[in-house]
Amino acid sequence: DVKVTQSSRYLVKRTGEKVFLECVQDMDHENMFWYRQDPGLGLRLIYFSYDVKMKEKGDIPEGYSVSREKKERFSLILESASTNQTSMYLCASSRLHEGAQYFGPGTRLLVL
Amino acid sequence: AQKITQTQPGMFVQEKEAVTLDCTYDTSDPSYGLFWYKQPSSGEMIFLIYQGSYDQQNATEGRYSLNFQKARKSANLVISASQLGDSAMYFCAMRRNAGNNRKLIWGLGTSLAVNP
């Protein structure tokens, strides 16, 4: 079974803090994705990566950065957290040319 | 522009009955893929079923089947014999099979409640 894990299920941070969300997959998938999910807005892609050290912006990259130093790990970084980044963050992975994405359990982030 | 539309924000179904969740899509690509995901209240997105645009048969996966009508650009999910554990959000998504084929385009979801 594909397994995607995320470092935290719940996270509370203060405005201005630097926040790291980590995602690890164990299926040797080339592609990894970070989404945020907000009520009424659905899933919005923040960044994705198709190889180590490679990244591409998604639909809403502002205020975020990512790092992929190893194939199995994809980190999302909020350089200076703001209250409008309070959201559910979902990580996913997939094979290079296959569409089915497999998701982690999600991280509910609250920025105060 | 490519788009996924799920017109039903919420649906109710009686336990053991079948339910159809609607999904229509818009694309000019001749080749594409369609997906359905389930998201229980715990938050994890669970992949349910996939249909390729050139697949001759409708996809099935256990109690899930996809009613694919290409001319109508619809890809409705049918859940047979509903169970209480089917209560969740359901999302339809589409992938292009040409060009940038890594990203999925998502609908806004349908909330399904199964009544005992």
Side-chain angles (χ1 to χ4, degrees):
Chain A
D1 278 354
V2 177
K3 190 164 184 186
V4 181
T5 57
Q6 294 183 228
S7 48
S8 305
R9 291 300 301 271
Y10 301 94
L11 210 51
V12 181
K13 295 292 182 181
R14 297 211 175 272
T15 303
E17 282 191 76
K18 191 168 187 175
V19 182
F20 293 87
L21 302 181
E22 294 211 320
C23 175
V24 178
Q25 52 95 3
D26 67 357
M27 285 302 293
D28 202 35
H29 284 171
E30 290 81 9
N31 301 326
M32 295 189 75
F33 306 83
W34 275 107
Y35 293 92
R36 66 176 282 178
Q37 184 178 25
D38 302 287
L41 297 178
L43 271 78
R44 293 181 291 168
L45 182 65
I46 304 171
Y47 268 98
F48 71 100
S49 167
Y50 52 90
D51 201 351
V52 174
K53 297 190 186 296
M54 305 302 289
K55 61 186 179 184
E56 284 193 25
K57 293 180 179 179
D59 302 315
I60 51 164
E62 296 79 19
Y64 303 94
S65 61
V66 290
S67 171
R68 193 162 181 204
E69 297 295 320
K70 293 185 177 183
K71 189 175 185 180
E72 67 271 18
R73 189 179 298 267
F74 192 35
S75 300
L76 179 70
I77 304 149
L78 287 64
E79 296 290 343
S80 177
S82 63
T83 54
N84 63 13
Q85 292 178 310
T86 290
S87 187
M88 171 72 140
Y89 289 87
L90 292 164
C91 175
S93 70
S94 71
R95 293 206 180 281
L96 187 61
H97 294 300
E98 292 182 9
Q101 295 181 12
Y102 296 89
F103 284 78
T107 296
R108 295 183 192 271
L109 173 66
L110 173 62
V111 182
L112 299 174
Chain B
Q2 295 179 299
K3 190 178 178 182
I4 291 283
T5 302
Q6 294 180 253
T7 57
Q8 307 152 313
M11 290 280 287
F12 292 91
V13 66
Q14 208 63 30
E15 194 178 8
K16 299 181 186 176
E17 291 184 353
V19 62
T20 297
L21 306 183
D22 294 342
C23 173
T24 58
Y25 59 91
D26 189 15
T27 182
S28 56
D29 288 339
S31 179
Y32 49 89
L34 295 155
F35 303 81
W36 276 93
Y37 284 80
K38 171 185 178 182
Q39 187 179 38
S41 56
S42 59
E44 183 172 353
M45 295 283 279
I46 302 166
F47 167 60
L48 294 178
I49 196 166
Y50 167 78
Q51 178 85 42
S53 58
Y54 290 123
D55 292 345
Q56 295 297 314
Q57 307 251 356
N58 285 345
T60 60
E61 198 69 52
R63 293 186 299 110
Y64 304 108
S65 60
L66 204 152
N67 184 1
F68 182 46
Q69 298 188 37
K70 198 169 181 177
R72 289 184 156 188
K73 293 189 174 179
S74 75
N76 299 338
L77 177 70
V78 181
I79 305 174
S80 62
S82 298
Q83 301 172 357
L84 295 179
D86 294 333
S87 294
M89 284 290 293
Y90 288 82
F91 292 90
C92 180
M94 176 172 64
R95 183 196 64 161
R96 297 172 60 184
N97 282 359
N100 188 342
N101 60 0
R102 300 181 184 93
K103 296 193 286 187
L104 295 179
I105 298 161
W106 295 84
L108 293 182
T110 295
S111 176
L112 176 66
V114 180
N115 297 324

